[in-house]
Amino acid sequence: MAVTKHTHQVVFGRKVDGCPRCQELAAGAEPVRWAPSRREREQADDTERAAAIRAHFAPGGPHSRAACGPVCTFGDW
Ligand SMILES: [Zn+2]
Ligand SMILES: [Zn+2]
């Protein structure tokens, strides 16, 4: 079975037009399970952080209530 890979350096949160793997992920494909590498686990972590960041900046979230302090460093990673 062929494994689809990104055709570029992966930049979190960014989809690259013309990259088959980005299109797979955009279509909701499961991450390919072949001995997940540390890098892949980090990408999964990034996905969770991205969700947390979205929640943080969402209307009514901690950010809009100024619950994160004068300088927001949320997502500074
Ligand atoms: Zn890609
Ligand atoms: Zn904030």
Side-chain angles (χ1 to χ4, degrees):
M1 171 181 157
V3 173
T4 307
K5 290 185 177 178
H6 291 285
T7 57
H8 54 89
Q9 178 91 31
V10 174
V11 178
F12 169 66
R14 188 170 156 211
K15 292 192 183 65
V16 175
D17 289 339
C19 170
R21 182 59 179 155
C22 282
Q23 287 174 0
E24 266 191 10
L25 293 173
E30 284 288 312
V32 177
R33 301 293 179 198
W34 82 95
S37 67
R38 180 169 176 271
R39 181 190 181 91
E40 285 159 350
R41 284 198 298 274
E42 285 174 354
Q43 286 177 352
D45 286 349
D46 284 351
T47 301
E48 290 182 12
R49 277 182 225 155
I53 289 167
R54 277 196 295 275
H56 179 78
F57 288 103
H63 192 76
S64 69
R65 297 197 308 267
C68 53
V71 179
C72 180
T73 56
F74 199 87
D76 192 9
W77 38 273

